[in-house]
């Protein structure tokens, strides 16, 4: 039975509780959470109470934040404690960060003291830091322990840990000294010493490191987990790949919103109010509207020339649009290259030289097509054709150059490169393309 059929039967009330329990027991927790997304408030509460206790907390971790609040508000204190104490610490923190104060107080009141301490510890770290996305539920082993002792430790505590496939080796003072995998342990002899088997070449993060930089390390080294240490190199937590995927999605969304001249928002589109949507869009729209004064001033300064040859007005949109597209193409590729680590600040000269050559090729190709088009449509006026074609060529060259250099310069002065890729680039390219156009027209047409 697929999810759509189950949802339909739940809404019809055609499934009895015992059959639902069997169905839920055989389903993936993520799929169950998706079913909850399609249910009404009362149905969500009823279905959550039906869930087998063994999977209830896992399903809760994947349910939408609004539905999580609905579930928590409907549960008793003891039920809240049961759910929250089974949640991994990082999932509990994600939930608590989104809840109103009254819900947070009730939740923390029903959490075990040890877990409450771990949650409060993570909540103290800055939002964009490694500490804010780590979990404290991991397996650590002493370097002087034997393999058989390590297996005993894993059996005793592994059930409640986020992962047991990678274990971290520490000294008695909890300083991180190595890493060892479950494969290494299974292939070793029972009396082998952990310190002799471990890999001491560790990729790790500090609690205050930026989470976007950590995502780059996960990508670079193809990691599944990463240990997090404090200033004294003591192991305090680990970051798992599922949390890094969330970081990548959030950072990518933020960059896309900035490139589209939007104020970034953490709220889903359908759950954001109309007023907030307008607020997030208004600022950049206002800036771009006011910046259009620059292009208006440039056009006004050439008013006499346009009156003498009105046909020049017809080509202004084409030049500005082509320049905008050319600049956006370059800036988008550079921002993406910087985001994945392909392009660094030291590569500015290489990028500039490459984009100049790309601009020349594009400019020549588009210029040739444009020359023929204008020549045919404007009574073979070769001076006008030359003016438009040369302006187009220079505009493309300028736009490619500016579009490639601006994001790198922004990074150098600690500004998000995504901001430069559309809003500011559009203003610069529009203004400079008009200056180029009117300057060429003055020289060739003698206006």
């Amino acid at each position: 039975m697929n999810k759509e059929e189950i949802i339909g039967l739940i809404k019809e009330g055609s499934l009895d509780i015992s059959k639902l329990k069997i169905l839920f027991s055989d389903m993936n927790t993520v799929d169950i959470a998706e079913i909850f997304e399609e249910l009404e408030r009362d149905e969500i509460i009823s279905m959550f109470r039906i869930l087998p206790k063994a999977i209830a907390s896992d399903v809760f971790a994947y349910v939408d934040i609004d539905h999580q609040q609905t579930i928590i508000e409907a549960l008793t204190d003891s039920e809240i404690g049961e759910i929250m104490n089974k949640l991994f610490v990082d999932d509990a923190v994600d939930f608590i960060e989104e809840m109103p104060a009254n819900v947070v107080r009730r939740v923390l009141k029903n959490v075990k003291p040890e877990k409450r301490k771990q949650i409060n510890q993570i909540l103290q770290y800055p939002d964009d830091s490694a500490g804010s996305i780590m979990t404290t539920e991991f397996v650590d082993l002493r370097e002087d322990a034997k393999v058989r002792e390590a297996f005993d430790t894993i059996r005793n505590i592994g059930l409640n840990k986020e992962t047991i496939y990678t274990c971290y080796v520490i000294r008695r003072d909890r300083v991180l000294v190595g890493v060892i995998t479950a494969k290494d342990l299974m292939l070793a002899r029972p009396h082998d010493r952990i310190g002799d088997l471990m890999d001491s070449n560790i990729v790790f993060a500090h609690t205050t490191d930026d989470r976007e930089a950590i995502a780059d390390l996960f990508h670079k080294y193809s990691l599944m987990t990463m240990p997090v240490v404090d200033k004294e190199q003591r192991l305090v937590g680990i970051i798992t790949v599922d949390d890094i995927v969330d970081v990548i999605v959030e950072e990518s969304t933020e960059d896309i919103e900035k490139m589209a001249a939007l104020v970034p928002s953490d709220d889903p589109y359908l759950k954001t109010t109309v007023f907030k949507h307008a607020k997030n869009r208004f600022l950049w729209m206002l800036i771009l509207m006011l910046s259009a004064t620059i292009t208006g001033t440039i056009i006004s300064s050439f008013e006499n020339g346009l009156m003498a040859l009105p046909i020049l007005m017809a080509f202004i949109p084409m030049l500005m649009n082509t320049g905008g597209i050319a600049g956006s193409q370059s800036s988008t590729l550079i921002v993406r290259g910087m985001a994945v680590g392909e392009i660094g600040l030291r590569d500015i000269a290489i990028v500039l030289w490459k984009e100049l050559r790309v601009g020349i090729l594009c400019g020549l190709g588009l210029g040739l097509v444009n020359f023929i088009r204008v020549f045919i449509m404007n009574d073979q006026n070769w001076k006008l054709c030359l003016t438009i074609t040369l302006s187009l060529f220079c505009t493309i060259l300028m736009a490619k150059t500016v579009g490639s250099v601006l994001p790198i310069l922004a990074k150098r002065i600690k500004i998000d490169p995504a901001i430069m890729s559309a809003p500011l680039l559009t203003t610069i390219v529009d203004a400079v393309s008009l200056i180029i156009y009117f300057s060429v027209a003055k020289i060739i047409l003698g206006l």
Side-chain angles (χ1 to χ4, degrees):
M1 189 178 295
N2 60 39
K3 289 183 287 186
E4 289 72 22
E5 291 174 335
I6 295 173
I7 292 168
L9 292 173
I10 289 173
K11 289 185 174 295
E12 293 171 5
S14 304
L15 281 174
D16 60 45
I17 293 176
S18 59
K19 190 170 183 180
L20 270 173
K21 282 187 175 181
I22 294 171
L23 285 172
F24 286 151
S25 298
D26 294 335
M27 289 181 67
N28 186 288
T29 52
V30 176
D31 293 332
I32 298 174
E34 288 181 355
I35 289 175
F36 277 47
E37 300 297 324
E38 303 298 325
L39 303 179
E40 300 298 328
R41 183 182 185 279
D42 292 341
E43 293 169 339
I44 290 170
I45 295 169
S46 299
M47 291 303 104
F48 192 81
R49 292 188 182 279
I50 291 171
L51 285 177
K53 291 185 178 181
I55 64 171
S57 59
D58 292 333
V59 173
F60 182 85
Y62 288 108
V63 171
D64 177 86
I65 192 68
D66 291 338
H67 293 158
Q68 285 182 335
Q69 184 174 351
T70 296
I71 292 168
I72 286 295
E73 289 174 346
L75 297 179
T76 64
D77 286 354
S78 61
E79 288 173 329
I80 290 174
E82 190 173 350
I83 294 296
M84 297 305 298
N85 287 319
K86 286 183 179 179
L87 275 181
F88 290 120
V89 173
D90 54 340
D91 292 327
V93 169
D94 290 341
F95 165 70
I96 287 172
E97 284 181 327
E98 301 295 331
M99 289 295 105
N102 62 316
V103 176
V104 171
R105 283 193 297 270
R106 187 177 175 218
V107 167
L108 291 178
K109 182 182 71 174
N110 293 287
V111 173
K112 290 179 180 178
E114 182 183 353
K115 191 149 196 170
R116 188 186 310 128
K117 181 180 178 182
Q118 293 172 338
I119 291 171
N120 288 330
Q121 176 190 346
I122 293 177
L123 288 172
Q124 291 174 1
Y125 293 110
D127 289 341
D128 293 330
S129 68
S132 69
I133 58 172
M134 73 180 185
T135 181
T136 56
E137 292 157 323
F138 55 89
V139 177
D140 55 60
L141 304 171
R142 295 286 178 85
E143 63 176 335
D144 56 355
K146 304 297 183 182
V147 169
R148 62 175 177 272
E149 296 170 339
F151 277 121
D152 289 339
T153 299
I154 293 171
R155 288 190 193 97
N156 290 333
I157 67 173
L159 184 62
N160 298 318
K161 302 303 179 183
E162 185 118 358
T163 179
I164 61 171
Y165 305 111
T166 304
C167 304
Y168 297 95
V169 186
I170 57 174
R171 296 201 308 243
R172 292 189 178 276
D173 57 1
R174 296 202 58 79
V175 170
L176 179 66
V177 292
V179 61
I180 189 167
T181 65
K183 178 182 177 181
D184 297 329
L185 291 172
M186 285 186 285
L187 295 177
R189 292 168 296 186
H191 60 275
D192 285 344
R193 183 174 172 272
I194 297 297
D196 298 330
L197 300 172
M198 71 181 187
D199 183 1
S200 57
N201 184 20
I202 320 163
V203 179
F204 62 89
H206 287 94
T207 52
T208 54
D209 288 349
D210 185 84
R211 64 181 192 170
E212 193 170 359
I214 293 167
D216 292 337
L217 291 176
F218 265 81
H219 176 261
K220 180 178 180 180
Y221 294 103
S222 300
L223 300 175
M224 295 298 291
T225 61
M226 181 187 291
V228 181
V229 300
D230 60 16
K231 293 179 181 178
E232 287 76 34
Q233 299 298 110
R234 291 175 300 194
L235 181 64
V236 293
I238 65 168
I239 298 172
T240 53
V241 69
D242 58 314
D243 294 314
I244 287 300
V245 169
D246 292 338
V247 170
I248 293 171
V249 170
E250 289 173 16
E251 296 294 340
S252 299
T253 301
E254 183 179 317
D255 286 345
I256 291 170
E257 289 174 336
K258 287 180 179 177
M259 291 168 70
L262 292 167
V263 176
S265 173
D266 294 329
D267 300 325
Y269 176 85
L270 294 177
K271 294 181 181 178
T272 303
T273 64
V274 172
F275 177 79
K276 190 169 183 179
H277 272 305
K279 178 184 174 184
N280 291 343
R281 303 178 194 189
F282 179 78
L283 177 61
W284 273 110
M285 290 177 68
L286 177 63
I287 292 172
L288 293 174
M289 182 191 73
L290 295 177
S291 67
T293 306
I294 300 172
T295 57
T297 302
I298 295 171
I299 293 174
S300 297
S301 66
F302 196 72
E303 188 175 357
N304 293 333
L306 292 173
M307 290 178 65
L309 195 59
I311 189 64
L312 290 176
M313 281 290 294
F315 298 100
I316 289 178
M318 181 272 292
L319 285 171
M320 293 174 67
N321 288 339
T322 305
I325 292 171
S328 294
Q329 288 175 336
S330 296
S331 65
T332 300
L333 289 174
I334 302 308
V335 170
R336 187 263 176 192
M338 294 174 71
V340 300
E342 293 177 359
I343 299 172
L345 299 178
R346 65 184 181 280
D347 299 318
I348 186 168
I350 298 172
V351 169
L352 180 58
W353 174 231
K354 185 181 287 288
E355 287 300 314
L356 276 172
R357 288 178 290 167
V358 171
I360 290 171
L361 291 175
C362 291
L364 289 174
L366 292 174
L368 177 61
V369 173
N370 190 69
F371 187 93
I372 295 171
R373 180 179 70 90
V374 177
F375 190 77
I376 294 172
M377 296 177 66
N378 291 275
D379 299 325
Q380 301 180 1
N381 186 338
W382 70 269
K383 282 191 174 183
L384 177 64
C385 293
L386 185 60
T387 298
I388 306 302
T389 301
L390 188 57
S391 299
L392 179 64
F393 177 82
C394 293
T395 294
I396 292 173
L397 208 59
M398 174 274 300
K400 292 289 185 187
T401 303
V402 173
S404 61
V405 171
L406 268 183
I408 300 178
L409 293 179
K411 187 77 172 180
R412 186 178 291 276
I413 59 176
K414 310 296 184 184
I415 298 176
D416 192 330
I419 296 176
M420 296 293 189
S421 66
L424 296 182
L425 177 63
T426 299
T427 301
I428 294 171
V429 170
D430 285 353
V432 178
S433 63
L434 286 175
I435 293 172
I436 291 172
Y437 183 37
F438 293 144
S439 300
V440 172
K442 282 183 178 180
I443 295 171
I444 296 178
L445 299 176
L447 299 175

